[in-house]
Amino acid sequence: TMGGGQKTKARPAVPLSFDEIGGQDRAKQELIEALDFLVHEEQISKFGIRPLKGILLTGPPGTGKTLLAKAASAYTDSIYIAASGSEFVEMYVGVGASRIRDMFKDARQKAAKAGKNSAVIFIDEIDVIGGKRDGGQQREYDQTLNQLLTELDGIHTSDSPRILLIGATNRKEMLDSALLRPGRFDRHIGVDLPDRKGRAHILRIHARNKPLHNDVSVDKIAEESFGFSGAQLESVMNESAIYAMREKSESIMQHHFSMAIDKVMMGEKTDRESTK
Ligand code: ATP
């Protein structure tokens, strides 16, 4: 997801539902509870409750944080705009800050144009712009973080359209405390590696369009893929289909899955070694 000079793009509305996200029951529930604050905003303001501005999703790579943000956008019938923290890191002072400003402006305009009441802005790798500012030592992108804080502080319950910022990071401890204060990223939702039941659920979701042999046990695959992320499980499904096709098999069989699990596990190892 690196993209130095890439501009942030509005993606077409992604009608992804929470049902298409496997496992993550607690994260989904917490997220829906938070989103209901946005959906029932008149009530919220009647009780004088602070508006929900930001939700932070934290957890290891490939666990479905992006999927959750997309589902949140669909759930609240919002425009969805996504960017990665690294897109705001620029050589020239002020460029990152103006990109942030443009992104919020763009989100408001697109939502208004589409007749929506809200826009979800998703920033993956938010730690890249929201990292700790070490006193005195100004980094060239402190301005970017300051602009993000300014935008968040400028969100009011009565705004139309309303902006909801969803950030994702796998390094929460790196974030500047200013971002974590009430009124900024108000909700923190942990998105962890799936347990066995979650893995089986994710595997079933990705098996929907695939011919599985009758003797395949998804539960057994879930058991054998301990420690795998959702993204890795998606790879297991995909690789097993490739093995089946190569063998000219009519359907995907258990041994194809065993091979695929090994392959994904090995892939991880070589990835790690090559980054050393
Ligand atoms: P990163 O931090 O690396 O950006 P992420 O947590 O945002 O990762 P996603 O981009 O949401 O992860 O997931 C990548 C892909 O992995 C998804 O497109 C999907 O195919 C699969 N995947 C991950 N988690 C799940 C899940 N819980 N249910 C179904 N599929 C999943």
Side-chain angles (χ1 to χ4, degrees):
T1 46
M2 299 293 284
Q6 217 172 291
K7 283 194 64 187
T8 58
K9 291 188 271 299
R11 317 266 148 86
V14 210
L16 182 97
S17 101
F18 284 109
D19 295 336
E20 286 161 67
I21 304 173
Q24 306 300 354
D25 295 343
R26 196 183 37 77
K28 280 196 244 178
Q29 194 198 330
E30 282 177 23
L31 183 55
I32 290 172
E33 271 169 24
L35 295 173
D36 283 337
F37 274 74
L38 204 74
V39 176
H40 307 293
E41 205 136 65
E42 297 101 76
Q43 289 238 39
I44 300 307
S45 61
K46 192 175 98 188
F47 282 91
I49 296 170
R50 218 183 16 245
L52 173 70
K53 297 180 176 186
I55 298 177
L56 184 66
L57 306 175
T58 62
T63 45
K65 296 184 290 297
T66 306
L67 298 179
L68 286 165
K70 286 182 180 170
S73 156
Y75 184 80
T76 53
D77 191 26
S78 303
I79 284 282
Y80 177 74
I81 292 200
S84 169
S86 53
E87 290 169 34
F88 299 94
V89 180
E90 283 293 322
M91 205 143 62
Y92 300 103
V93 174
V95 174
S98 73
R99 280 213 186 126
I100 293 277
R101 200 178 309 119
D102 289 348
M103 183 174 62
F104 276 78
K105 205 170 120 196
D106 191 40
R108 290 192 177 93
Q109 280 174 353
K110 292 228 160 73
K113 210 168 148 200
K116 306 269 188 192
N117 293 322
S118 50
V120 165
I121 295 180
F122 175 63
I123 306 182
D124 200 2
E125 300 180 64
I126 188 114
D127 48 283
V128 176
I129 41 178
K132 285 197 176 95
R133 296 171 289 191
D134 31 13
Q137 250 215 348
Q138 282 290 114
R139 293 176 326 177
E140 106 284 346
Y141 42 89
D142 275 0
Q143 286 197 13
T144 310
L145 174 55
N146 289 338
Q147 187 59 39
L148 186 65
L149 297 173
T150 303
E151 296 290 350
L152 277 173
D153 293 345
I155 295 174
H156 302 287
T157 315
S158 55
D159 287 356
S160 179
R162 267 278 266 119
I163 304 280
L164 174 66
L165 179 66
I166 302 184
T169 179
N170 40 43
R171 303 188 300 170
K172 185 180 168 185
E173 68 289 345
M174 297 286 290
L175 289 182
D176 195 282
S177 60
L179 261 181
L180 303 176
R181 278 213 295 272
R184 269 94 181 248
F185 278 117
D186 264 325
R187 306 284 159 129
H188 301 177
I189 299 177
V191 189
D192 296 319
L193 288 174
D195 58 12
R196 191 169 51 81
K197 213 175 121 231
R199 292 197 297 277
H201 188 186
I202 294 170
L203 286 163
R204 285 202 177 87
I205 287 171
H206 291 287
R208 276 178 194 161
N209 60 350
K210 295 186 171 58
L212 300 198
H213 191 270
N214 283 335
D215 72 0
V216 167
S217 160
V218 171
D219 289 322
K220 185 153 178 270
I221 307 166
E223 216 169 285
E224 287 173 0
S225 51
F226 177 84
F228 279 34
S229 67
Q232 288 174 307
L233 294 167
E234 191 274 335
S235 282
V236 166
M237 267 294 153
N238 197 58
E239 293 296 333
S240 64
I242 292 171
Y243 282 125
M245 208 184 74
R246 276 196 199 135
E247 281 187 10
K248 303 198 173 13
S249 169
E250 284 293 308
S251 53
I252 311 173
M253 302 200 282
Q254 196 74 31
H255 74 277
H256 297 132
F257 283 106
S258 306
M259 286 153 68
I261 288 175
D262 287 348
K263 171 147 197 230
V264 173
M265 232 182 246
M266 296 273 281
E268 276 304 291
K269 265 195 210 111
T270 39
D271 279 357
R272 244 178 258 144
E273 267 150 28
S274 65
T275 53
K276 263 185 198 159

